[in-house]
Every structure is written in C-alpha cells, then in structure tokens.
Amino acid sequence: MRYYDKLIFELSKKGRTGFSLKTEKIGHCNLYSDCAGLLRKDEVCLPEVSETDVVRHYTNLSQMNFGVDTGFYPLGSCTMKYNPKINEEIAAMPTFNNIHPLQDKKTAEGAEEACKILEKVLCSITGMKRFTFLPCAGAHGELTGLMIIRSYHLDKGDLQRKKIIVPDSAHGTNPASAAVCGLEIVEVKSNERGLIDTDVLQQTIDSIGDELAGIMMTNPNTLGLFEQDIKIIAEMIHKAGGLLYYDGANMNPLIGVARPGDMGFDVMHLNLHKSFSTPHGGGGPGSGPVGVCEKLIPFIGVKVSGFHGNFGVMLRALTYILMLGKQNVKMVGKLATLNANYIKESLKDKYKLPIPTVCKHEFVFDGLINDGAKDGVEGATTLDIAKRLLDYGFHAPTIYFPLLFHQALMIEPTETESKETIDEFIEVMRKIADEAAENPEMLHAAPHNTPISRPDETTAARNPIVKWEN
Ligand SMILES: *Cc1c(COP(=O)(O)O)cnc(C)c1O
C-alpha cells in the first residue's frame, strides 16, 4: 500500500487509537463529571488511527518532497549545499535559544560575543571593514546596501546621484532592489564572452555623468563567470564618483580565494543561507548581512529590521565556519569551482555549452545538442530534462534562468558533494541525453515514477488545495 495515496482521514477507523494509557492512572480531573459544562456539544472530527498508521503516513509524506537531506540538489544561483546537523544543535542550545532581545545586556554577553566573532570572520573572508546583520535575506541586504550608498551621496550633498548601472548578467533581484530604493536602473549588455565590456561601460558612465550613484555587480555573474576586468571597472566607477555594490549571495567560489574588498567593492551582502550552509527555501528565515568599506561605516546604522537580525541563522553560519577551521575554509572556493568544471567538461559533448570557458561555482547549458526532434515530433526541452531527472532521484538544476538563453539549464553542485554523487549525476544526465535523442516523447511525459507527474504549475502555485474537505 502506498500511504501517500490516502489522506490521514481516509485511514481512520472508528474506535482505533494510537495510545493505550491506563485512564485511572492519569490526571486528577474526570472531565465528564467535574467539568461537564466545558465539554463539546458535537464530536470533534479527528482521524482515528493507530500509531503505526500515523508514523508511516507522515514519514511517507515527508519523503514526497525533495530536499538537500534526501538527495543531490544542483540548483544554480541558489547554493543548495549540505546543512551540517551540528549547526542545528548549537542554534538550539537553551543559552542561545531562550534569550530575549530586550533582556539585560550583561546577561547576553555570550550572544554578543558570537555576533562579534562572526562579524570579524566575515570581514576577513570578504575584505570589508564592518558588517550589519539586520537584513533578513539577500534582496533585503541589497536594499540596505543601496540605502547606504544613497545616504553616502546625500551626505555629500550629491542629491542628483540616483542612477545605478546594472549589467544584464546580474541576478534578477538587483534591478528590483534598486527600483524599490528609488534609483533609476541603467542596463549594460554583456559581451559575447558573457562579461562586462569596459568600452561599453565607459560610454554608459559618460552618458550618466554626475548622476551616477554606482554599479551593482554579481561576481561571478549569473553565468558563473568571473569579471576579470573588475579592478579596471572599479577604477572607472570610482573616478566618476560612484560606488561599487557587490552581490555576494553566491560567495562560494571566492571563499578562501579572493575578496570583494580587495577588488574595489565598497558595499556588499552575503547570503548566510546559501554560502554559509544554513537551510533555506520556502521563504524561511534567512540572513543577508551587509558589509561596508571604511568610508561607509558611518552609514551602516540603517534600521531595516527589529533588534539584531535572524540570530539563529547567524549562529548556524558561525558554527559552519568554525567547524571547517581556517585551513578548510580556504578549500571551499576551490572545491566549488572544481566540482562545477568537472560536471561541465563531462557533459559538454551532450549539452550545448554557449560559453565554453572555465566557470566558477556554476555554469549554464543551453539545452541538448541532439534533442531528438524529427518530422512531427518535438525535441526534448530543458523542462523535459528537469522532469526526467526526478525519475532518477535527482532534483533539477535551475531552468530557464538566466534569460540570456532559450533553454538555459544552470547547474551548481557546491563543494559539499562527493565525487561519487557527482559521477552518478553525470551518468544520469548522459542517459537522459541519449533517451532524448531516441525517444523525446517519453521525456515529454516525464516524470513517470513520482507521486504526481506534471501539475499545472500556475494553478499549483496560485490555488493549491492544502486542506481536507469532507
Ligand atoms: C539568491 C540570490 C539573491 C537573493 O537572495 P534572497 O535571500 O533570496 O533574497 C540575490 N542575488 C543572487 C546572486 C542570488 O543568488
């Protein structure tokens, strides 16, 4: 019997219970005689099931979803890496978990110390001078960082500096945050190598003049490519009176290898819930601390959330960093980069690789080389590949993002996966490519082995039915 075929109410049998405590041994109050007035008028509608039914039902339900704890999750631009369980233990310690933001400071010195250590470690990893932990997500950090840039210009009397340059290879949240901050976005197009062209950038800077607030960059950008001209770019922007914002949500490939502070960035955010192994997804608590260079320290106090930010997430990140230790932290960037390049090179004879250079922690394919299209039969698409991966027990990579290609398939293995897992993934991706070439129609109908196949995605997201109705 497949337990997930039934709702818990459908497993119910009149009179069945999940416990067998002796009633005479528990409690002092007989509800029926002592508190008759408090009793319900009607029977409560609860399922009547045995303990075995309940345990199997919920355990099976938990397996219907895909998570980092159940399998490989190569979602590009999201860093779904392993979340060590020690992080959870430390964050759950009563001495951390039971404190209140308003309690006497003297009684929370340990927590304060933990924040200070984390700030110091992040400064040394990024080359920034101070961090604020108030922002609760990456995009929240972007908004905070941009507010800091705005405050800096306003303080100097530069009221007109309201234009921000955002390359087309930036993460989608960048232009959105800039718009929320009241800035005007000026896009620069990437060149054929997927990088910023310094000539094009200079023209853009010149056309903006003294209205330039700065530039927002994701480096490595959303194609997983490192902007090699970053030092020149920094000089150009600074010379024009602008500041450089660094989107460090995906700091993985740089950890232990290079520092945004050294490249000339003035302000940045990190996603502790990506690069520093704290759980994310489902809109759960995140942390997007913002770091600044020396001259922006006076503006770091913007109040963007209550109290001290998501302290539990900060503790998890600190635990991860301390657990790795100085030597192993230096391996994070190298391993993340090695793993991504290994997958890319192992699959590029089957998948189209529009930008064939060395990547950082992630890279983008543009669909299959042979998608199996024949007369009257449509070839297998990126969506088909993503769905078919589920049949083999792998989560799909990011699909149809970035928007620079039609069949984008963005893969990020992270540094926490073993070679064996990565090899299995490569084998399955090759197998799917062969299946597509022979029988694309089978792929159009995938997944075949999951509890549900292809729901209407809009309806599933907008009008999910999550409640049992009699
Ligand atoms: C995920 C991500 C963000 C946004 O972070 P959230 O915590 O989801 O708000 C911003 N930039 C990049 C490059 C990202 O990958």
Side-chain angles (χ1 to χ4, degrees), residues 66 178 245 287 301 308 335 351 387 401 431 467:
F66 200 103
Y245 184 89
S287 178
H308 311 288
L335 283 175
Y351 292 84
K387 297 290 183 192
F401 178 85
K431 200 161 164 186
K467 175 165 135 253

PDB file of all heavy atoms in Angstrom, residues 66 178 245 287 301 308 335 351 387 401 431 467:
ATOM      1  N   PHE A  66      11.384  16.898  -2.093  1.00  0.00           N
ATOM      2  CA  PHE A  66      12.803  16.696  -2.334  1.00  0.00           C
ATOM      3  C   PHE A  66      13.579  17.710  -1.508  1.00  0.00           C
ATOM      4  O   PHE A  66      13.219  18.874  -1.451  1.00  0.00           O
ATOM      5  CB  PHE A  66      13.101  16.898  -3.825  1.00  0.00           C
ATOM      6  CG  PHE A  66      14.381  16.262  -4.241  1.00  0.00           C
ATOM      7  CD1 PHE A  66      14.381  15.065  -4.932  1.00  0.00           C
ATOM      8  CD2 PHE A  66      15.590  16.840  -3.926  1.00  0.00           C
ATOM      9  CE1 PHE A  66      15.568  14.463  -5.301  1.00  0.00           C
ATOM     10  CE2 PHE A  66      16.781  16.251  -4.293  1.00  0.00           C
ATOM     11  CZ  PHE A  66      16.773  15.048  -4.988  1.00  0.00           C
ATOM     12  N   ALA A 178      17.017  47.953  -6.577  1.00  0.00           N
ATOM     13  CA  ALA A 178      17.364  49.327  -6.945  1.00  0.00           C
ATOM     14  C   ALA A 178      16.093  50.150  -7.168  1.00  0.00           C
ATOM     15  O   ALA A 178      15.999  51.307  -6.745  1.00  0.00           O
ATOM     16  CB  ALA A 178      18.243  49.335  -8.191  1.00  0.00           C
ATOM     17  N   TYR A 245      28.662  48.169  -5.663  1.00  0.00           N
ATOM     18  CA  TYR A 245      27.921  47.235  -4.814  1.00  0.00           C
ATOM     19  C   TYR A 245      28.219  45.815  -5.278  1.00  0.00           C
ATOM     20  O   TYR A 245      28.156  45.511  -6.469  1.00  0.00           O
ATOM     21  CB  TYR A 245      26.403  47.481  -4.909  1.00  0.00           C
ATOM     22  CG  TYR A 245      25.657  46.579  -3.970  1.00  0.00           C
ATOM     23  CD1 TYR A 245      25.404  46.981  -2.666  1.00  0.00           C
ATOM     24  CD2 TYR A 245      25.280  45.288  -4.344  1.00  0.00           C
ATOM     25  CE1 TYR A 245      24.776  46.138  -1.775  1.00  0.00           C
ATOM     26  CE2 TYR A 245      24.661  44.439  -3.451  1.00  0.00           C
ATOM     27  CZ  TYR A 245      24.412  44.879  -2.174  1.00  0.00           C
ATOM     28  OH  TYR A 245      23.809  44.029  -1.279  1.00  0.00           O
ATOM     29  N   SER A 287      19.403  35.268   6.169  1.00  0.00           N
ATOM     30  CA  SER A 287      20.213  36.349   6.709  1.00  0.00           C
ATOM     31  C   SER A 287      21.095  36.890   5.599  1.00  0.00           C
ATOM     32  O   SER A 287      21.844  36.135   4.983  1.00  0.00           O
ATOM     33  CB  SER A 287      21.053  35.842   7.882  1.00  0.00           C
ATOM     34  OG  SER A 287      21.875  36.880   8.363  1.00  0.00           O
ATOM     35  N   GLY A 301      24.268  52.168  10.028  1.00  0.00           N
ATOM     36  CA  GLY A 301      23.244  52.008  11.063  1.00  0.00           C
ATOM     37  C   GLY A 301      21.796  51.990  10.581  1.00  0.00           C
ATOM     38  O   GLY A 301      20.891  51.993  11.399  1.00  0.00           O
ATOM     39  N   HIS A 308      18.308  42.404  16.330  1.00  0.00           N
ATOM     40  CA  HIS A 308      19.648  42.067  15.846  1.00  0.00           C
ATOM     41  C   HIS A 308      19.671  41.174  14.609  1.00  0.00           C
ATOM     42  O   HIS A 308      20.676  40.558  14.310  1.00  0.00           O
ATOM     43  CB  HIS A 308      20.435  41.376  16.962  1.00  0.00           C
ATOM     44  CG  HIS A 308      20.367  42.099  18.262  1.00  0.00           C
ATOM     45  ND1 HIS A 308      21.024  43.287  18.483  1.00  0.00           N
ATOM     46  CD2 HIS A 308      19.690  41.827  19.396  1.00  0.00           C
ATOM     47  CE1 HIS A 308      20.754  43.719  19.707  1.00  0.00           C
ATOM     48  NE2 HIS A 308      19.949  42.862  20.288  1.00  0.00           N
ATOM     49  N   LEU A 335      36.987  23.899  -4.185  1.00  0.00           N
ATOM     50  CA  LEU A 335      36.190  22.696  -4.430  1.00  0.00           C
ATOM     51  C   LEU A 335      34.904  23.014  -5.186  1.00  0.00           C
ATOM     52  O   LEU A 335      34.500  22.272  -6.082  1.00  0.00           O
ATOM     53  CB  LEU A 335      35.861  21.995  -3.107  1.00  0.00           C
ATOM     54  CG  LEU A 335      37.011  21.181  -2.505  1.00  0.00           C
ATOM     55  CD1 LEU A 335      36.620  20.630  -1.147  1.00  0.00           C
ATOM     56  CD2 LEU A 335      37.417  20.046  -3.437  1.00  0.00           C
ATOM     57  N   TYR A 351      25.432  18.310 -24.163  1.00  0.00           N
ATOM     58  CA  TYR A 351      24.630  19.520 -23.927  1.00  0.00           C
ATOM     59  C   TYR A 351      25.341  20.729 -24.530  1.00  0.00           C
ATOM     60  O   TYR A 351      26.572  20.814 -24.482  1.00  0.00           O
ATOM     61  CB  TYR A 351      24.421  19.731 -22.418  1.00  0.00           C
ATOM     62  CG  TYR A 351      23.539  18.660 -21.799  1.00  0.00           C
ATOM     63  CD1 TYR A 351      24.077  17.437 -21.389  1.00  0.00           C
ATOM     64  CD2 TYR A 351      22.169  18.872 -21.654  1.00  0.00           C
ATOM     65  CE1 TYR A 351      23.273  16.443 -20.845  1.00  0.00           C
ATOM     66  CE2 TYR A 351      21.354  17.877 -21.106  1.00  0.00           C
ATOM     67  CZ  TYR A 351      21.908  16.668 -20.704  1.00  0.00           C
ATOM     68  OH  TYR A 351      21.113  15.688 -20.168  1.00  0.00           O
ATOM     69  N   LYS A 387      12.310  17.365 -15.556  1.00  0.00           N
ATOM     70  CA  LYS A 387      11.298  16.431 -15.039  1.00  0.00           C
ATOM     71  C   LYS A 387      11.839  15.003 -15.024  1.00  0.00           C
ATOM     72  O   LYS A 387      11.581  14.234 -14.107  1.00  0.00           O
ATOM     73  CB  LYS A 387      10.029  16.495 -15.890  1.00  0.00           C
ATOM     74  CG  LYS A 387       9.321  17.836 -15.867  1.00  0.00           C
ATOM     75  CD  LYS A 387       8.689  18.104 -14.512  1.00  0.00           C
ATOM     76  CE  LYS A 387       7.915  19.413 -14.509  1.00  0.00           C
ATOM     77  NZ  LYS A 387       7.536  19.840 -13.161  1.00  0.00           N
ATOM     78  N   PHE A 401      16.699  30.110 -16.580  1.00  0.00           N
ATOM     79  CA  PHE A 401      17.356  31.266 -15.982  1.00  0.00           C
ATOM     80  C   PHE A 401      18.857  30.992 -16.041  1.00  0.00           C
ATOM     81  O   PHE A 401      19.266  29.866 -15.772  1.00  0.00           O
ATOM     82  CB  PHE A 401      16.902  31.461 -14.531  1.00  0.00           C
ATOM     83  CG  PHE A 401      17.606  32.616 -13.864  1.00  0.00           C
ATOM     84  CD1 PHE A 401      17.127  33.910 -13.998  1.00  0.00           C
ATOM     85  CD2 PHE A 401      18.775  32.408 -13.134  1.00  0.00           C
ATOM     86  CE1 PHE A 401      17.806  34.977 -13.415  1.00  0.00           C
ATOM     87  CE2 PHE A 401      19.446  33.478 -12.556  1.00  0.00           C
ATOM     88  CZ  PHE A 401      18.960  34.748 -12.682  1.00  0.00           C
ATOM     89  N   LYS A 431      22.556   9.718 -19.749  1.00  0.00           N
ATOM     90  CA  LYS A 431      21.498   8.773 -20.092  1.00  0.00           C
ATOM     91  C   LYS A 431      20.263   9.518 -20.620  1.00  0.00           C
ATOM     92  O   LYS A 431      19.660   9.113 -21.619  1.00  0.00           O
ATOM     93  CB  LYS A 431      21.135   8.004 -18.818  1.00  0.00           C
ATOM     94  CG  LYS A 431      20.434   6.709 -19.055  1.00  0.00           C
ATOM     95  CD  LYS A 431      20.556   5.863 -17.797  1.00  0.00           C
ATOM     96  CE  LYS A 431      19.565   4.733 -17.811  1.00  0.00           C
ATOM     97  NZ  LYS A 431      19.578   4.001 -16.555  1.00  0.00           N
ATOM     98  N   LYS A 467      -6.044  21.560   2.075  1.00  0.00           N
ATOM     99  CA  LYS A 467      -6.934  21.303   3.207  1.00  0.00           C
ATOM    100  C   LYS A 467      -7.912  20.206   2.833  1.00  0.00           C
ATOM    101  O   LYS A 467      -8.425  20.168   1.714  1.00  0.00           O
ATOM    102  CB  LYS A 467      -7.647  22.619   3.505  1.00  0.00           C
ATOM    103  CG  LYS A 467      -8.695  22.580   4.535  1.00  0.00           C
ATOM    104  CD  LYS A 467      -9.017  24.020   4.953  1.00  0.00           C
ATOM    105  CE  LYS A 467     -10.508  24.202   5.030  1.00  0.00           C
ATOM    106  NZ  LYS A 467     -11.104  24.966   3.990  1.00  0.00           N
TER     107      LYS A 467
END
